[in-house]
């Protein structure tokens, strides 16, 4: 199962959450950034619809796959404050 980790950090004169190398918008307080990270993490776990997706690989070959709407990641929040 995929793991997604949200890290609460000081950023751009305030606070933000970070996933990998990507920062959220800055929040004025740690509490606001933490609440936003909790909302985002919860939304990641909500099941969606099962869809058929088509994509082209690096060799120019087209593929079709069924992406299960119930295949949602585990989410974690790390607060370094």
């Amino acid at each position: 199962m995929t793991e997604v980790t949200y890290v609460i950090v000081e950023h751009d004169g305030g606070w933000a959450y970070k996933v990998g190398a990507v920062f959220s918008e800055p929040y004025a307080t740690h509490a606001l950034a933490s609440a936003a990270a909790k909302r985002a993490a919860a939304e990641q776990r909500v099941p969606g619809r099962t869809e058929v997706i088509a994509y082209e690989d690096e060799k120019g070959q087209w593929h079709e796959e069924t992406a299960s709407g119930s295949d949602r990641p585990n989410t974690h929040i790390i607060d370094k404050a």
Side-chain angles (χ1 to χ4, degrees):
M1 169 131 336
T2 303
E3 304 282 328
V4 177
T5 302
Y6 294 79
V7 182
I8 311 297
V9 295
E10 287 187 75
H11 177 65
D12 204 18
W15 292 88
Y17 63 85
K18 184 173 145 177
V19 178
V22 179
F23 291 91
S24 71
E25 64 185 276
Y27 294 90
T29 67
H30 176 272
L32 289 172
S34 181
K38 288 175 185 173
R39 280 192 307 276
E43 288 173 8
Q44 280 284 318
R45 295 187 303 268
V46 174
R49 295 189 322 236
T50 295
E51 303 269 351
V52 175
I53 59 172
Y55 64 93
E56 184 177 11
D57 67 18
E58 64 279 352
K59 295 179 182 176
Q61 299 290 322
W62 281 90
H63 303 270
E64 268 194 12
E65 292 181 5
T66 300
S68 172
S70 63
D71 184 18
R72 307 306 304 154
N74 288 328
T75 59
H76 310 280
I77 297 174
I78 297 173
D79 191 343
K80 295 188 173 191

